[in-house]
Amino acid sequence: MADPRPIGVFDSGVGGLTVARALMDLLPDERVIYLGDTARGPYGPRTVEEVRAFTADDVGWLAEQDVKFVIAACNTATAAALELDPLTFDLPVLGVIEPAVETAIRVTRSRRIGVIGTQVTISSGAYDRAVERLGSVDTKLTSAACPRFVTLVEQGRTTDPEVLEVAEEYLAPMKAAQVDTLILGCTHYPLLTGVISYVMGPDVTLVSSAETCARAVFAHLVDADLLAHTQTPQHRFAATGDPTDFARLAERFLGPRIRDADVEPA
């Protein structure tokens, strides 16, 4: 039977809008409620304890909006609150790490996989554990934190010479390890696909955690018979910080999709 309730998506800021956009593209009949915790984000520099508490708050707010499913569209929140010592919730909550790892393991040819993300995501070891759990004994993972990528994306800088220079520096360990598959382990990073692909070369497959997560949600809704079949879904966007600042940044991620939408205080 159809379930018209919306899908909830949260992130520490605007990066998770890449997941929301992938959902809108893949599931055009579904409504999305997006929460950006801009008042407390970014989560990357926060402690694990803080991120776990923020995640519980975010899921709680979305549950109050009567969503049927929640996506933690934040690698940091997924690593801190849904992986090694997962929090429990009264509704399904999916993170972005496992779907991306499953895809990377499926497409790699050499069994050499790379992942780039925030400092908390990388240092948490969440991707290492997922690869160990889902991969074979000969699968090798190379990880690197790329903290400046988020700042550059939010400044609207995705192709200038400094961005290329930073990418060359951050991706050097991946090239040295000769990975053939690279997971973009932060939802900001799809906006840097062009420069990352240029640096890594055409033989390296990039795996977007946003796209793989959207596909996993599609499969869950189909299997559970929870598709909405809404003809004209009305999406909602909320921010814990300044809604005007959120809308300005969000346009870089969603373009025309958000220009006519109101961003409400959460």
Side-chain angles (χ1 to χ4, degrees):
M1 59 183 291
D3 188 337
R5 292 179 299 164
I7 299 169
V9 182
F10 76 87
D11 184 31
S12 61
V14 294
L17 288 170
T18 56
V19 177
R21 182 165 185 166
L23 281 172
M24 294 173 192
D25 291 341
L26 195 64
L27 293 159
D29 294 340
E30 296 290 334
R31 289 186 298 142
V32 172
I33 297 180
Y34 184 92
L35 173 64
D37 190 10
T38 51
R40 300 183 294 191
Y43 288 174
R46 296 283 196 166
T47 66
V48 171
E49 291 73 19
E50 287 177 314
V51 175
R52 288 171 64 83
F54 298 163
T55 299
D57 291 344
D58 297 337
V59 175
W61 186 87
L62 288 168
E64 291 174 358
Q65 315 311 307
D66 193 30
V67 299
K68 60 187 173 186
F69 197 90
V70 173
I71 301 171
C74 172
N75 280 266
T76 303
T78 301
L82 302 179
E83 288 292 323
L84 184 61
D85 184 19
L87 299 177
T88 56
F89 302 102
D90 293 332
L91 74 171
V93 180
L94 175 71
V96 289
I97 291 177
E98 188 162 303
V101 169
E102 288 177 340
T103 298
I105 289 172
R106 187 169 63 251
V107 302
T108 183
R109 305 175 303 278
S110 66
R111 318 308 295 176
R112 295 176 181 175
I113 298 171
V115 60
I116 52 176
T118 67
Q119 187 62 58
V120 167
T121 298
I122 298 303
S123 63
S124 72
Y127 275 96
D128 302 83
R129 291 190 295 274
V131 168
E132 183 178 349
R133 183 172 69 253
L134 301 169
S136 58
V137 292
D138 61 340
T139 304
K140 179 176 175 57
L141 182 69
T142 301
S143 307
C146 306
R148 290 189 62 194
F149 275 171
V150 170
T151 302
L152 291 168
V153 167
E154 294 196 349
Q155 290 174 348
R157 301 171 59 193
T158 56
T159 57
D160 64 57
E162 185 180 354
V163 175
L164 182 59
E165 182 180 343
V166 171
E168 291 277 11
E169 176 186 346
Y170 282 156
L171 298 173
M174 303 298 154
K175 297 174 73 173
Q178 298 182 318
V179 303
D180 74 348
T181 305
L182 179 63
I183 299 171
L184 307 184
C186 173
T187 49
H188 281 71
Y189 295 178
L191 275 72
L192 293 170
T193 295
V195 71
I196 293 172
S197 180
Y198 175 79
V199 171
M200 294 303 300
D203 294 330
V204 175
T205 301
L206 303 186
V207 175
S208 165
S209 56
E211 293 178 4
T212 56
C213 188
R215 289 197 293 268
V217 172
F218 182 93
H220 172 86
L221 295 181
V222 170
D223 292 344
D225 197 20
L226 293 177
L227 290 172
H229 307 299
T230 305
Q231 295 303 309
T232 55
Q234 297 296 311
H235 308 300
R236 287 175 56 197
F237 304 91
T240 58
D242 186 336
T244 302
D245 285 345
F246 178 91
R248 176 178 54 81
L249 285 171
E251 190 169 338
R252 295 175 185 157
F253 290 77
L254 291 182
R257 288 183 180 274
I258 201 170
R259 286 175 191 160
D260 298 324
D262 292 326
V263 179
E264 61 191 69

